[in-house]
């Protein structure tokens, strides 16, 4: 495993730890470990900057999908300071995965996230 590959995989692991942190104190620490101080997160539903706003987006996802966790799909692909990876949102109860997507991240010199650009490939349908 190359140093770049390990760096990308470590950044994605910290990213997913942040997305799976459920209590506020753990979430705050996980976001600080994953993102640089000026980090950003952009997807079709959010465009935020800074640890506090990123943590709020993650907390909102847990409010919308209680009892779900994010998991990596496949492998992390990267070069230089850029990595891309697929993920899905999985029910802890039954393993169903109503949402999936892929993200592209750019890293700071210390290996934390500078930017996230997220794309949604599968989203839950609205209840009728």
């Amino acid at each position: 495993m190359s140093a770049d590959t390990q760096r990308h995989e470590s950044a994605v692991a910290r990213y997913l730890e942040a997305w799976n942190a459920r209590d506020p104190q753990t979430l705050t620490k996980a976001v600080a470990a994953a993102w640089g101080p000026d980090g950003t997160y952009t997807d079709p539903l959010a465009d935020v900057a800074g640890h506090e706003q990123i943590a709020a987006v993650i907390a909102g996802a847990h409010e919308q999908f209680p009892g779900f966790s994010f998991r990596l799909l496949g492998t992390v692909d990267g070069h230089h300071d850029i990595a891309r990876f697929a993920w899905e949102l999985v029910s802890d109860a039954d393993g169903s995965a109503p949402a999936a997507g892929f993200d592209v991240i750019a890293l700071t010199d210390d290996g934390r996230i500078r930017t996230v650009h997220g794309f949604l490939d599968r989203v839950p349908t609205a209840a009728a």
Side-chain angles (χ1 to χ4, degrees):
M1 176 183 306
S2 76
D4 277 344
T5 300
Q6 186 175 10
R7 184 171 183 247
H8 297 135
E9 289 178 354
S10 294
V12 171
R14 288 190 309 273
Y15 175 82
L16 292 172
E17 285 176 25
W19 276 96
N20 288 322
R22 297 184 185 194
D23 72 84
Q25 186 176 10
T26 303
L27 176 57
T28 298
K29 288 179 182 178
V31 167
W35 272 270
D38 299 322
T40 65
Y41 178 85
T42 304
D43 72 12
L45 306 173
D47 186 8
V48 298
H51 292 173
E52 188 175 307
Q53 289 183 6
I54 292 166
V57 168
I58 293 170
H62 285 290
E63 288 174 14
Q64 186 175 1
F65 296 99
F68 283 77
S69 299
F70 290 86
R71 73 175 174 203
L72 181 66
L73 281 177
T75 59
V76 177
D77 180 30
H79 60 81
H80 298 88
D81 289 334
I82 308 291
R84 67 178 177 168
F85 57 95
W87 54 266
E88 65 183 349
L89 181 64
V90 181
S91 168
D92 298 335
D94 65 14
S96 63
F102 79 92
D103 292 349
V104 177
I105 62 174
L107 303 178
T108 63
D109 289 341
D110 70 0
R112 291 189 292 167
I113 296 168
R114 177 179 300 122
T115 61
V116 175
H117 293 96
F119 298 84
L120 301 175
D121 295 328
R122 180 174 64 238
V123 294
T125 56

